[in-house]
Amino acid sequence: APLFSVVIGPSPERKATGKEKKEMAELHHKRLQFWEGLLSVLNKRTSLYKNISPTTDNWLSAATGVGGIRFQIVIRMDDAAIKLIIEKYKTVQNKKIFDYLYTKKETIESTFGHKINWRRMDNHISSRIEHDLKGFGLGDESTWERGYKSIAEKLVKWERTFRPYFGELKTM
């Protein structure tokens, strides 16, 4: 039988690429698992995400009923966030909507009851209004249940806080 000898193996770069692909696949699997768990809890509290499927992305968006404006949940390794994304086609329209909501900042923050980050993002087309969630993250599966409850509770409040303004935003 012929004898085969490996003269050269994978380069260090190729090995690193393989390792990165494996880590990315594991991360995608973790995100899918997290979103599946969250959606089962979330869909008992609100219908916002009823027609949304788990994904490998670190975010999950849902319609608000106003074109170009959506709710978004972001999961990171050590924390999470809920957001209102203002992303219509025209920058000027996005900034006008953001500025309108910002004039209601006191009422919005009082209604929501938690710290809100207002990000007009003048050098970008879109604007964001966000609330950071601490105490759980994708990196520690033992915190997921707590995270599901926290996201569901805060998202219901988030929607109730912003929903009264959507009628006005449709006219802008």
Side-chain angles (χ1 to χ4, degrees):
L3 177 65
F4 291 99
S5 299
V6 176
V7 177
I8 189 165
S11 68
E13 293 84 11
R14 189 135 179 127
K15 283 183 182 178
T17 300
K19 185 180 179 206
E20 285 174 24
K21 282 183 179 179
K22 183 179 180 209
E23 288 170 359
M24 192 56 73
E26 289 170 1
L27 181 60
H28 286 176
H29 181 70
K30 253 186 164 172
R31 286 180 186 157
L32 272 174
Q33 284 183 300
F34 181 86
W35 293 132
E36 285 171 1
L38 175 63
L39 288 169
S40 71
V41 172
L42 201 54
N43 289 337
K44 291 174 186 158
R45 303 275 317 266
T46 177
S47 61
L48 276 178
Y49 284 81
K50 283 266 191 243
N51 297 318
I52 305 296
S53 298
T55 175
T56 58
D57 293 320
N58 76 322
W59 51 267
L60 220 51
S61 291
T64 62
V66 181
I69 300 175
R70 65 186 182 277
F71 293 113
Q72 191 174 78
I73 303 166
V74 175
I75 184 66
R76 297 179 284 250
M77 293 307 282
D78 299 315
D79 65 359
I82 53 176
K83 303 181 180 200
L84 185 71
I85 308 289
I86 305 164
E87 195 167 43
K88 291 181 173 274
Y89 294 109
K90 295 183 180 172
T91 303
V92 67
Q93 195 177 14
N94 294 328
K95 302 316 171 194
K96 182 179 177 184
I97 290 168
F98 179 89
D99 292 344
Y100 167 76
L101 290 170
Y102 195 78
T103 66
K104 311 291 184 191
K105 179 183 178 197
E106 247 179 68
T107 304
I108 289 170
E109 289 182 345
S110 173
T111 302
F112 183 60
H114 302 279
K115 186 181 184 314
I116 294 176
N117 303 317
W118 296 81
R119 299 182 54 216
R120 191 171 194 271
M121 299 169 45
D122 290 332
N123 296 326
H124 295 83
I125 293 171
S126 65
S127 292
R128 308 216 181 320
I129 302 170
E130 309 170 340
H131 172 67
D132 292 323
L133 300 162
K134 306 288 184 194
F136 62 92
L138 193 63
D140 184 354
E141 291 180 38
S142 72
T143 67
W144 288 10
E145 287 297 324
R146 181 171 61 242
Y148 299 156
K149 289 176 188 161
S150 178
I151 291 170
E153 174 192 318
K154 296 281 180 10
L155 189 69
V156 167
K157 275 181 143 176
W158 192 251
E159 182 199 10
R160 285 185 188 147
T161 298
F162 285 100
R163 178 82 41 208
Y165 302 98
F166 290 165
E168 181 67 24
L169 298 183
K170 285 180 183 179
T171 68
M172 300 177 99

